[in-house]
Amino acid sequence: MERGSGRGEGISRRRLLVLGGGAAAVAATGALASGCGEDSEANEASRFGDGDVGILNYALTLEHLQSDFYSAAAASGLFSGVDQQTIREFGNQEEEHIEALSELVERLGGKPPAPPKTRFPLESPEAALQAAAAIEKAAADAYLGQVPDLEDPAALEKVLAIHTVEGRHSTAIETRLGRSITPDGPFAKPATVAATLKTVEPFMES
Amino acid sequence: MQGLRLTRGEALLRGALAAGAAYGLPAITPYVRTALAAGEEDEEVRALNLALSFELIERKFYEEAKKRLKPTGSLGQMIDLLAEDERQHIEALTAQIEKLGGTPEPEGEYAFSYIDAYEALRHLRDIEYAGLRAYNGAIPSVKSEEALKLMASIAQIEGRHVAAVRMERGGTPAPLAFDPGQSNFQARSSVVKFTGGWEAQ
């Protein structure tokens, strides 16, 4: 099977479009709210828009979530020193990802999604770090899950360049928590949209 | 540096063009088609072999580091973990190359010059980062689902390795927001001080 022929979550995007007549783009928060428990046969990134735009908007939604998290964590007063510096650095990088992905979406004729409303457990450093670990690993594996379905060369290059940075972020936080730098072993595991949305659901306002 | 070697596709194309000069265009059409198909196949194997070449360098580095540094504590644990990851990557990439009818790149002669763990970690950081960028540069040229999924999965792990090595050395895990891919030539050039050269695949 070749690229773009349905390696993501069962059937191909082309096939999905044939079956569905073209999935309509939906608002990001709505897509997230209704994301779990849906048909896992199709690439559910189509909830965020058609084709590559849908994948990029899905990624953008996750980037907004991460960016919000780091903003909240930085302002929480829970962290200082190297931790605070890392939080600010990662937050700035998520902002750069948002900018790059938004430009791609617009170049492809799409509209970037509105940032989702978020909430985070910031009652203690441990709780915040646990949330960060979940969010970063979800993002890295979400990117990995979408790589096979991207068709636009520039979009694929940019997503690959972000994917491994999310992996780095994840490892930094796992290390901070005293856990393995490779949570899934020698091979990272791609995550479906449904699985990702389930992971980040606790951090989304319904 | 060793000499350049023609790929199977390039050799077939060269032969077809020579035949075309002698017998005319219709005579060479099937051969050109074959040559182009072989070129695509070669590209796939070339991408996997680039990845394999970095895994082989990394494996050798870890093997030597264990003997020379006799690392303990967090450094020892990290080296053990990363070495095992690279071993499994080599196994998977080799199997994939053979499945596509290619020949896995053999281990070369490598030279790692360092006097302490800090310097070794600097080299390791550079090697792992060059490997990561090689993956990100090669993946877009991979067309088969299986090979692409494998390479992308390993790329994330290489990113994690880079972060771990940087932190072990006291640095920031991700100094930049993007890990841009680099070409086969750029990737191999960036580690030439450890490999001494390469045979173009």
Side-chain angles (χ1 to χ4, degrees):
Chain A
M1 194 183 290
E2 290 208 341
R3 266 176 50 191
S5 59
R7 293 170 301 185
E9 298 179 28
I11 62 174
S12 74
R13 198 163 65 229
R14 292 191 191 93
R15 175 83 175 133
L16 181 70
L17 292 175
V18 168
L19 290 173
V26 292
T29 46
L32 282 165
S34 61
C36 300
E38 292 291 324
D39 175 13
S40 62
E41 287 300 302
N43 186 340
E44 291 182 343
S46 62
R47 292 173 160 276
F48 296 85
D50 287 343
D52 285 356
V53 167
I55 293 173
L56 296 170
N57 277 344
Y58 165 51
L60 263 169
T61 303
L62 296 173
E63 293 289 348
H64 279 299
L65 175 68
Q66 294 174 89
S67 174
D68 271 11
F69 171 80
Y70 288 116
S71 293
S76 68
L78 291 172
F79 300 100
S80 60
V82 174
D83 283 344
Q84 181 75 349
Q85 188 184 329
T86 302
I87 285 167
R88 288 195 188 282
E89 195 167 65
F90 286 6
N92 289 338
Q93 290 174 355
E94 309 302 3
E95 285 294 318
E96 287 189 59
H97 296 168
I98 289 169
E99 194 177 333
L101 292 169
S102 297
E103 280 175 16
L104 273 170
V105 168
E106 285 167 359
R107 189 178 63 72
L108 292 173
K111 186 183 172 191
K117 290 181 180 170
T118 55
R119 61 181 177 209
F120 303 107
L122 297 173
E123 63 273 14
S124 70
E126 175 72 16
L129 286 168
Q130 293 285 355
I135 291 168
E136 287 289 1
K137 184 174 185 305
D141 294 343
Y143 275 104
L144 181 56
Q146 295 304 317
V147 161
D149 277 350
L150 281 163
E151 291 178 349
D152 181 79
L156 176 59
E157 282 178 22
K158 192 59 76 181
V159 161
L160 287 168
I162 296 174
H163 161 233
T164 49
V165 170
E166 300 300 350
R168 292 191 196 214
H169 289 180
S170 170
T171 282
I173 295 161
E174 297 289 342
T175 302
R176 178 67 178 75
L177 285 165
R179 304 195 303 218
S180 173
I181 62 168
T182 50
D184 290 331
F187 301 96
K189 292 179 181 163
T192 62
V193 174
T196 303
L197 298 183
K198 191 173 179 185
T199 302
V200 301
E201 195 180 21
F203 314 117
M204 312 296 295
E205 296 277 5
S206 56
Chain B
M1 190 169 85
Q2 293 166 322
L4 296 178
R5 192 171 72 189
L6 287 181
T7 65
R8 179 168 158 255
E10 289 162 348
L12 283 168
L13 194 57
R14 182 175 284 192
L17 291 172
Y23 303 109
L25 187 62
I28 66 166
T29 303
Y31 300 103
V32 170
R33 200 175 291 133
T34 303
L36 292 174
E40 274 190 18
E41 179 189 295
D42 286 339
E43 191 175 9
E44 196 95 335
V45 169
R46 200 157 47 236
L48 287 159
N49 259 328
L50 175 66
L52 179 60
S53 72
F54 274 91
E55 300 290 348
L56 291 168
I57 296 169
E58 290 162 10
R59 179 177 71 180
K60 190 69 176 178
F61 189 95
Y62 293 122
E63 281 174 4
E64 277 197 29
K66 281 186 195 181
K67 290 177 190 161
R68 290 166 64 178
L69 298 172
K70 297 185 173 46
T72 57
S74 64
L75 178 61
Q77 284 176 3
M78 185 190 77
I79 287 180
D80 283 345
L81 179 74
L82 271 54
E84 173 59 18
D85 286 351
E86 312 305 7
R87 188 190 68 74
Q88 294 203 36
H89 296 168
I90 288 168
E91 209 171 276
L93 290 166
T94 299
Q96 189 66 45
I97 290 166
E98 287 172 346
K99 193 172 177 180
L100 291 170
T103 303
E105 189 159 310
E107 186 175 285
E109 295 288 330
Y110 314 118
F112 308 112
S113 172
Y114 53 83
I115 55 169
D116 57 20
Y118 190 75
E119 197 178 7
L121 282 169
R122 179 165 59 83
H123 291 329
L124 185 54
R125 178 199 64 190
D126 294 345
I127 293 167
E128 289 277 2
Y129 183 52
L132 164 60
R133 292 190 62 192
Y135 271 95
N136 279 350
I139 289 169
S141 68
V142 176
K143 293 182 176 59
S144 81
E145 174 183 354
E146 200 176 345
L148 180 136
K149 283 183 173 175
L150 174 65
M151 289 185 69
S153 167
I154 297 176
Q156 186 190 118
I157 299 301
E158 297 300 329
R160 291 177 178 277
H161 288 183
V162 173
V165 171
R166 291 186 65 90
M167 288 189 291
E168 185 65 30
R169 203 167 172 268
T172 179
L176 300 170
F178 303 97
D179 288 324
Q182 58 183 1
S183 71
N184 192 313
F185 179 81
Q186 289 170 325
R188 289 180 188 270
S189 296
S190 63
V191 290
V192 79
K193 66 181 173 182
F194 306 114
T195 62
W198 68 88
E199 186 172 3
Q201 296 293 306

